[in-house]
Amino acid sequence: MERYLAGLADFTRRRRRLVVAVWAAVLLGCGWFAAHQFDRLSSGGWDVPGSQSATAATLLERFPGRDGVQLAVLVEASSAGRADAALERTRAALSRFSDVRVAGSAQRFESGSAAVLPLLYVGDEDEATARGTALREALVADANATAVRVIGEPALWSELDAVSKAQLARAEGIGLPLALVVLLAAFGTLVAALAPLAVGFVAVAVTGALVYWLAGLVPMSIFAPNVASMIGIGVAIDYSLFVVSRFRRELHAGQETDEALRRALASAGTAVVFSGGTVVVSLAGLFLVDVNAIRSMAAGAIIVVAVAVLTATTLLPAMLAFAGRRVDRFTVPFAHASAGESGRFWPAWTRRVMRRPGLALAAGVALLATIAVPAFSLRTESHGLDQLPAGSEVRQATERAGELTGFTGPIQIFTDDQQAAAEIAAAAARLPGIRSASGLASTDGSRYLVEVVLAADPESREAQAVYRRTADTATAIASRHRTEAVVGGMTASVVDASSAVTGNLWKILLFVLAASYLILLVLLRSVLLPLKAVFMNAFSVGAAFGVLVVVFQWGWLDWTGYTSPGYLDPFVPAVVLAITFGLSMDYEVFLLTRIRERYLAGAPNEQAVAEGLAASARTITAAALIMVAVFGAFALAGAPSIKAFGVGLSVAILVDATIVRLVLVPATMRLLGDWNWWLPRPLTRVLHTPEPARSRLA
């Protein structure tokens, strides 16, 4: 890999004009598609194939008035007459939509001044969000003391689409300037600081276009761009930071531009490639969850990491070849830093840790274990409506409609026995937490549907408890009639999706552990160092989960004005686990490759660890601060689930780059001594492991 990347550095230096021109053309070609990626995103993808809720959704198509996506129009007026007039205007406007039909008579409330008109969208479900947007534009109005609102999942996801787009722009507007400040402080020159920022911009823009094209082939979740942008900005800038730091260090050591570029890409570039590979493999673990929305988020993140590696190893070297020694131009007076020095702090810090490795290891483990303890109380729930701001149009209208009619999203029970259906409806109506129950026959009379209207939000824990009681009751009655009951609806979908995610967490963890170990084994040519690395990463994940619980469940930061939801979305722990394991390897790989360089050059283990840590600590700190700044921006500007991603990843990276990398890793390596580099002889031959300058292992 080092030889290949050194050759790539030579190619990009000689053909730098061509490389930059190609990337400029790619960027220009991707611009429009990246700007319109939200136009193709899907609100669905949460169904679990083979589950009862998915089977029920298929059966629902056989029933009149249920063969589509349900919506409704909420009308509230100062009088019954004005409500009637608004309903007439609504019906007239709906005549322009061939794929939306009125699904029944309007329900009237509050002496006729409020009404709910049921609608049914019978078009392509992948276009439901776009149709929700069109309906809101055509129907929503505030005039003549009358308010008209559109509710239902297409309307909810339509508004969330717009909210997510605005939140993404706001988060990037916060994160990129903060990253520039950190880069200026780290490099001390404007040219060196702008290069990583440019690479990050290109990586995110190209990924946006790829998401647009991929969404034309498979459904992509509305959350995919936010996750991809959050990760892409961080990793692209971090990878570029590693390469630029090494390039400047070589220049300051007296190397010519071409040799400095070769050495930078051979060393830091190797760390970038293996780090990116580890992140990609870790994210691939999310494909073990058979939920398309999760997989689409993983796909977006994998794409942006792959593009970040590609830009950091092709576009960036070409830019550095153009800059040469001018990379140190336009010095920032208040943040001047020499790339060739580690300063006084880090060597002193390293000596302190190495002097008492046992104490440092015990203190670090105790601190991280304490932070991780709340993770044992982690609780997940799914509330799509909570992803919208409290004052949003669709959220307020949906909550108001729930107060008037009972909550939308009934439990749906299917059976092929009419008598069983009648008994299920009667028994369900008597259960606590249920507002009403009614029956309906399919168009061919072969199936019977019982719809159970809940008295609580269908996504709430209360509704899930009612769902389980209802499902048990329906199953028992169907069994007595020698038939079966299929139970579905919104609550069932939430339960099935949550179970699919949380039930596969252990598979994701094992996959990520095994994959990370194998990649580091190949890179580091060691049996024990990769094992140590995966255990250290587990501490970072545990600390992230612990902080997520105290912030979002226990509300320890509510004094700041933030209102904690009291739960975590089911997909947050899985995604944070996969991303954290991948990103944590950035610093592990960068640090250990520097230490290994010293060791292979002939330095004893303790000296190699001390010199490698002192030389890379400053870069690791700057890289971590960039990640924290980017993730923190999304924590400030995102929806609740994106906030949780931002907080969890910020904590994990901060812990990993400080306590883990700068305390636990050197302390452990000091204690292990030369056993850090032990590799069985058969593996030594297979991996073509070079011998250190003077062999010290027996």
Side-chain angles (χ1 to χ4, degrees):
M1 179 62 70
E2 291 177 353
R3 288 195 300 271
Y4 170 77
L5 289 173
L8 182 61
D10 287 336
F11 173 82
T12 56
R13 178 181 56 80
R14 292 194 305 269
R15 301 285 190 271
R16 52 186 177 272
R17 289 183 176 82
L18 174 63
V19 173
V20 172
V22 168
W23 275 109
V26 169
L27 181 61
L28 289 174
C30 290
W32 186 90
F33 300 102
H36 290 80
Q37 59 182 307
F38 279 91
D39 297 346
R40 283 191 166 186
L41 300 180
S42 169
S43 59
W46 297 100
D47 294 333
V48 181
S51 65
Q52 277 213 26
S53 59
T55 303
T58 302
L59 292 174
L60 191 63
E61 297 175 0
R62 303 183 186 180
F63 292 83
R66 301 294 192 278
D67 55 340
V69 181
Q70 297 183 29
L71 300 96
V73 174
L74 170 67
V75 175
E76 290 188 284
S78 58
S79 67
R82 286 182 171 174
D84 289 336
L87 286 172
E88 287 303 315
R89 289 194 297 271
T90 298
R91 290 189 178 94
L94 286 170
S95 64
R96 303 198 302 268
F97 296 92
S98 60
D99 52 4
V100 179
R101 63 172 182 252
V102 177
S105 302
Q107 293 179 276
R108 308 303 291 264
F109 305 93
E110 298 184 346
S111 302
S113 64
V116 175
L117 180 67
L119 305 177
L120 196 68
Y121 168 65
V122 293
D124 185 351
E125 288 194 17
D126 290 338
E127 301 294 327
T129 299
R131 181 53 74 221
T133 300
L135 286 171
R136 289 174 57 222
E137 291 174 351
L139 303 179
V140 171
D142 288 282
N144 300 322
T146 304
V148 180
R149 298 289 185 267
V150 181
I151 60 175
E153 284 198 26
L156 185 154
W157 289 102
S158 164
E159 187 168 19
L160 185 58
D161 184 26
V163 169
S164 297
K165 194 181 300 184
Q167 290 173 342
L168 177 60
R170 190 160 58 248
E172 290 177 344
I174 297 172
L176 288 173
L178 287 176
L180 178 59
V181 170
V182 177
L183 288 169
L184 287 172
F187 289 137
T189 71
L190 185 61
V191 174
L194 287 177
L197 211 60
V199 170
F201 175 78
V202 172
V204 172
V206 172
T207 299
L210 292 175
V211 167
Y212 176 92
W213 294 324
L214 186 60
L217 302 175
V218 296
M220 293 291 289
S221 171
I222 200 171
F223 293 111
N226 295 67
V227 173
S229 181
M230 180 175 13
I231 296 171
I233 294 173
V235 299
I237 294 177
D238 267 15
Y239 293 165
S240 302
L241 174 67
F242 294 158
V243 174
V244 174
S245 295
R246 187 57 185 262
F247 176 69
R248 294 178 72 232
R249 183 181 292 271
E250 295 296 337
L251 286 179
H252 292 191
Q255 300 294 336
E256 295 298 324
T257 299
D258 55 348
E259 183 60 23
L261 197 57
R262 281 177 57 85
R263 294 191 179 191
L265 213 57
S267 176
T270 299
V272 165
V273 170
F274 277 90
S275 295
T278 306
V279 177
V280 167
V281 171
S282 297
L283 289 166
L286 293 174
F287 282 88
L288 295 172
V289 180
D290 196 6
V291 176
N292 186 67
I294 300 291
R295 291 180 172 183
S296 67
M297 283 187 268
I302 287 172
I303 290 171
V304 80
V305 172
V307 174
V309 171
L310 189 60
T311 51
T313 53
T314 57
L315 174 60
L316 181 62
M319 294 168 61
L320 293 178
F322 270 117
R325 295 191 177 276
R326 289 172 294 181
V327 73
D328 286 331
R329 292 190 65 182
F330 304 111
T331 301
V332 180
F334 64 87
H336 180 65
S338 172
E341 299 175 2
S342 57
R344 297 180 179 179
F345 175 78
W346 292 116
W349 171 267
T350 304
R351 288 193 298 270
R352 192 174 298 113
V353 172
M354 303 279 280
R355 193 178 302 124
R356 294 183 175 83
L359 178 62
L361 181 63
V365 169
L367 177 60
L368 292 183
T370 302
I371 298 173
V373 166
F376 292 102
S377 302
L378 191 148
R379 178 166 56 86
T380 61
E381 292 184 30
S382 180
H383 293 271
L385 204 61
D386 286 354
Q387 300 303 314
L388 292 172
S392 73
E393 165 204 313
V394 175
R395 179 172 178 172
Q396 288 186 334
T398 303
E399 291 170 346
R400 176 59 176 154
E403 295 172 1
L404 294 173
T405 68
F407 287 90
T408 56
I411 298 173
Q412 295 160 334
I413 307 168
F414 300 85
T415 180
D416 57 7
D417 188 290
Q418 187 174 13
Q419 183 59 36
E423 290 185 23
I424 289 171
R430 294 191 296 269
L431 292 175
I434 289 177
R435 194 161 188 161
S436 65
S438 58
L440 184 69
S442 64
T443 51
D444 59 6
S446 64
R447 286 275 179 178
Y448 300 89
L449 164 65
V450 177
E451 286 198 320
V452 180
V453 179
L454 298 163
D457 179 353
E459 295 180 315
S460 65
R461 293 178 68 85
E462 294 82 359
Q464 292 180 29
V466 174
Y467 156 75
R468 291 187 176 93
R469 288 197 298 267
T470 305
D472 291 343
T473 301
T475 301
I477 293 174
S479 180
R480 289 202 303 269
H481 287 269
R482 300 181 182 278
T483 186
E484 64 175 359
V486 178
V487 185
M490 183 184 295
T491 308
S493 297
V494 169
V495 171
D496 288 342
S498 298
S499 299
V501 176
T502 56
N504 284 294
L505 269 178
W506 66 273
K507 294 180 184 178
I508 298 172
L509 179 61
L510 288 180
F511 177 84
V512 170
L513 287 173
S516 300
Y517 180 85
L518 291 175
I519 290 175
L520 289 181
L521 174 65
V522 173
L523 173 65
L524 301 174
R525 308 297 203 271
S526 166
V527 170
L528 295 180
L529 285 181
L531 190 63
K532 172 195 66 63
V534 295
F535 277 110
M536 296 299 180
N537 285 354
F539 281 118
S540 299
V541 173
F545 282 6
V547 172
L548 285 174
V549 169
V550 302
V551 173
F552 293 93
Q553 283 183 217
W554 297 355
W556 283 15
L557 290 184
D558 284 6
W559 58 271
T560 63
Y562 171 71
T563 302
S564 56
Y567 63 89
L568 290 169
D569 278 280
F571 63 92
V572 167
V575 177
V576 169
L577 168 65
I579 295 175
T580 298
F581 251 93
L583 296 183
S584 295
M585 288 300 174
D586 285 352
Y587 312 125
E588 182 78 15
V589 168
F590 188 70
L591 173 59
L592 293 183
T593 51
R594 297 301 297 273
I595 294 174
R596 186 169 180 267
E597 283 181 16
R598 301 295 197 277
Y599 184 79
L600 291 178
N605 176 76
E606 185 174 345
Q607 181 183 344
V609 173
E611 291 179 355
L613 178 59
S616 57
R618 183 177 193 154
T619 304
I620 289 176
T621 302
L625 287 175
I626 289 170
M627 285 278 196
V628 171
V630 172
F631 295 151
F634 280 85
L636 292 174
S641 57
I642 301 299
K643 286 181 185 292
F645 284 140
V647 170
L649 295 175
S650 293
V651 171
I653 294 301
L654 188 61
V655 165
D656 190 81
T658 54
I659 300 174
V660 173
R661 299 296 156 230
L662 305 180
V663 178
L664 299 187
V665 169
T668 305
M669 294 187 73
R670 170 68 175 83
L671 292 171
L672 287 174
D674 284 336
W675 286 103
N676 285 304
W677 313 102
W678 176 71
L679 190 69
R681 195 170 298 277
L683 283 179
T684 301
R685 290 194 295 269
V686 170
L687 297 176
H688 305 289
T689 305
E691 287 289 328
R694 54 185 180 86
S695 179
R696 292 170 294 279
L697 289 177

